[in-house]
């Protein structure tokens, strides 16, 4: 196993300044092949979400041994902690697949509004399990958007149903003038984005499925914070998240 962590100060600076960064080749071809096959076997096309054209799993990292290994991978965790500059926990790991010729983009949004956490820092590592050129549904980020003024989160009532398509610009109108950076990634590369960073992903106009695995990291002291209409976990608001279910990186 390669133990080098290809992260330097420029990645951390970009992560804090722009709210995202990209690390090509965090996983080798051989490694990513193992995780890709596990994801191909696990993903279930019946779980397509019409709103964003994605097939998304629920708790894949807890249900599949190989995908759990990826979520808890020491090199990924070390890279995440180096970017964050603080101790972290793993909060989840899910497959996000976009079927071939899926015309629906994953619309512009940020993740904090939907987050069940109160934390100093929560962010996603989006791992490309296949090559993801722009036309296969690559991620686009609005650099610096995590530092925007205005409400910390959108009003949850405004993000339901059709309103999801416009809530981001409706809530933070200044973001419509923010530059957008689209990031094609080869298999084994990883994009990291802060949960306040506005982002989207395009449609998949290719003949191949776009397979990604997203690991969510949160600071070690995060507490549970249900959102209106969504209180799915056996915890009280304000309670530290379960240290066994959500293990410390490197723990
Ligand atoms: O994979 C996608 O299409 C969207 C992913 C996303 O929004 C995220 O990782 O926060």
């Amino acid at each position: 196993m390669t133990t080098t962590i290809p992260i330097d100060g420029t990645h951390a600076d970009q992560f804090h300044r722009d709210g995202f960064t990209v690390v090509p080749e965090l996983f080798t071809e051989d490694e990513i092949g193992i995780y890709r096959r596990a994801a191909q076997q696990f993903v279930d096309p019946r779980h397509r979400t019409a709103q964003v054209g994605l097939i998304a799993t629920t708790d894949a990292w807890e249900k599949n041994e190989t995908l759990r290994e990826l979520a808890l991978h020491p090199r990924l965790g070390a890279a995440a902690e180096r970017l964050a500059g603080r101790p972290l926990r793993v909060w989840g790991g899910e497959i996000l697949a976009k079927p071939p010729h899926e015309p629906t983009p994953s619309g512009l949004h940020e993740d904090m509004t939907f987050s069940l956490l109160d934390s100093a820092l929560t962010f996603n590592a989006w791992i490309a399990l296949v090559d993801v050129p722009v036309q296969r549904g690559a991620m686009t980020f609005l650099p610096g958007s995590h530092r925007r003024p205005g409400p910390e989160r959108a009003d949850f009532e405004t993000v339901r149903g059709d309103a999801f398509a416009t809530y981001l610009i409706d809530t933070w109108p200044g973001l419509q003038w923010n530059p957008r950076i689209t990031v094609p990634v080869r298999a084994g590369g990883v994009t990291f984005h802060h949960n306040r960073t506005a982002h989207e992903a395009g449609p998949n106009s290719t003949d191949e499925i776009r397979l990604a695995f997203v690991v969510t990291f949160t600071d070690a002291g995060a507490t549970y914070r249900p959102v209106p209409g969504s209180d799915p976990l056996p915890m009280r608001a304000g309670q530290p998240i379960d240290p066994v279910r959500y293990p410390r990186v490197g723990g």
Side-chain angles (χ1 to χ4, degrees):
M1 186 199 288
T2 312
T3 49
T4 318
I5 302 161
I7 296 259
D8 59 28
T10 58
H11 291 104
D13 288 350
Q14 190 195 17
F15 181 69
H16 292 286
R17 182 188 66 235
D18 294 342
F20 77 97
T21 193
V22 187
V23 182
E25 297 176 13
L26 189 54
F27 294 97
T28 65
E29 268 180 47
D30 287 350
E31 288 168 338
I32 217 65
I34 293 168
Y35 301 128
R36 175 169 54 240
R37 282 188 289 283
Q40 281 162 340
Q41 283 162 17
F42 190 81
V43 77
D44 183 344
R46 284 173 303 180
H47 295 157
R48 180 179 169 278
T49 314
Q51 206 178 30
V52 285
L54 285 173
I55 305 166
T57 51
T58 305
D59 299 331
W61 73 302
E62 296 182 296
K63 294 175 180 163
N64 180 282
E65 212 177 300
T66 309
L67 297 174
R68 182 170 187 79
E69 181 187 293
L70 177 55
L72 302 181
H73 198 289
R75 195 178 324 124
L76 180 72
E81 285 199 336
R82 207 168 275 187
L83 288 178
R86 61 171 71 230
L88 299 172
R89 292 187 187 285
V90 178
W91 172 246
E94 303 296 352
I95 301 167
L96 292 180
K98 209 169 263 273
H101 303 287
E102 170 56 60
T104 317
S106 314
L108 201 54
H109 66 285
E110 39 73 59
D111 300 328
M112 186 182 267
T113 295
F114 309 90
S115 172
L116 296 171
L117 295 171
D118 243 337
S119 69
L121 178 66
T122 298
F123 61 103
N124 280 0
W126 190 98
I127 304 162
L129 299 178
V130 296
D131 284 344
V132 186
V134 173
Q135 65 274 20
R136 191 165 289 142
M139 295 281 278
T140 294
F141 301 101
L142 277 62
S145 53
H146 64 309
R147 293 187 277 107
R148 64 184 169 268
E152 186 75 352
R153 301 172 186 239
D155 175 352
F156 206 72
E157 292 306 317
T158 69
V159 303
R160 293 184 196 277
D162 291 347
F164 177 77
T166 57
Y167 91 89
L168 189 95
I169 301 298
D170 291 345
T171 309
W172 298 281
L175 290 184
Q176 66 196 300
W177 308 112
N178 207 109
R180 299 182 187 193
I181 298 183
T182 299
V183 194
V185 207
R186 304 299 301 255
V190 182
T191 69
F192 292 85
H193 69 270
H194 191 293
N195 79 342
R196 289 202 87 225
T197 304
H199 58 282
E200 62 187 344
N204 180 0
S205 59
T206 72
D207 296 338
E208 275 180 47
I209 190 167
R210 191 215 71 185
L211 270 180
F213 189 73
V214 173
V215 180
T216 302
F217 293 98
T218 191
D219 76 86
T223 57
Y224 183 55
R225 193 203 93 125
V227 295
S230 180
D231 184 2
L233 297 175
M235 288 184 263
R236 288 184 319 278
Q239 192 179 347
I241 59 174
D242 181 343
V244 176
R245 184 167 180 190
Y246 307 106
R248 273 284 317 277
V249 163

